[in-house]
Amino acid sequence: MTALSRGTQYVEPSPSQQRLGDKLAGMIPGAVAVRVSLTHPSRQWPHPYTVAVDGRGEQLMLSGSTTKVAARWVLRSWPEADWTRPHTLDLATGQLAVASVRSR
């Protein structure tokens, strides 16, 4: 793994993982990244959850189905990732990094 700034790590994306970034960017207009986790804010058990952010770092509104579908696509594309921690997918590069703890 290669280290990014602030100590986060990512796995170099495969071509199919890079295409997933393009698909999600088309599905979520204005999004530049998605943060995926198994910690839904209103659930007590593991549940796929996505937060999309725009270029200014502002959170975008997503429907419940978009939140779930996007999370499942990312989870299935990186099964080797440690999903006990949230991850951020850069939609432009397809790079998946361990997400920072802060949230908006």
Side-chain angles (χ1 to χ4, degrees):
M1 287 187 189
T2 305
L4 293 174
S5 62
R6 290 182 272 177
T8 60
Q9 295 181 336
Y10 75 92
V11 175
E12 195 62 40
S14 69
S16 64
Q17 291 167 330
Q18 289 174 331
R19 284 191 303 274
L20 176 59
D22 293 336
K23 287 180 184 181
L24 289 173
M27 189 169 106
I28 309 168
V32 297
V34 293
R35 187 176 66 238
V36 176
S37 72
L38 290 174
T39 308
H40 190 289
S42 64
R43 310 273 183 181
Q44 293 182 359
W45 59 89
H47 191 79
Y49 186 68
T50 302
V51 174
V53 294
D54 63 15
R56 298 178 309 205
E58 299 293 323
Q59 186 172 328
L60 301 171
M61 295 298 297
L62 300 176
S63 69
S65 60
T66 299
T67 296
K68 192 179 297 184
V69 167
R72 286 180 176 167
W73 286 357
V74 173
L75 290 164
R76 289 178 182 158
S77 293
W78 280 273
E80 72 283 355
D82 176 9
W83 289 109
T84 60
R85 301 172 62 190
H87 287 69
T88 299
L89 174 62
D90 182 318
L91 301 183
T93 65
Q95 291 179 342
L96 185 72
V98 175
S100 63
V101 178
R102 73 177 192 128
S103 62
R104 295 187 155 258

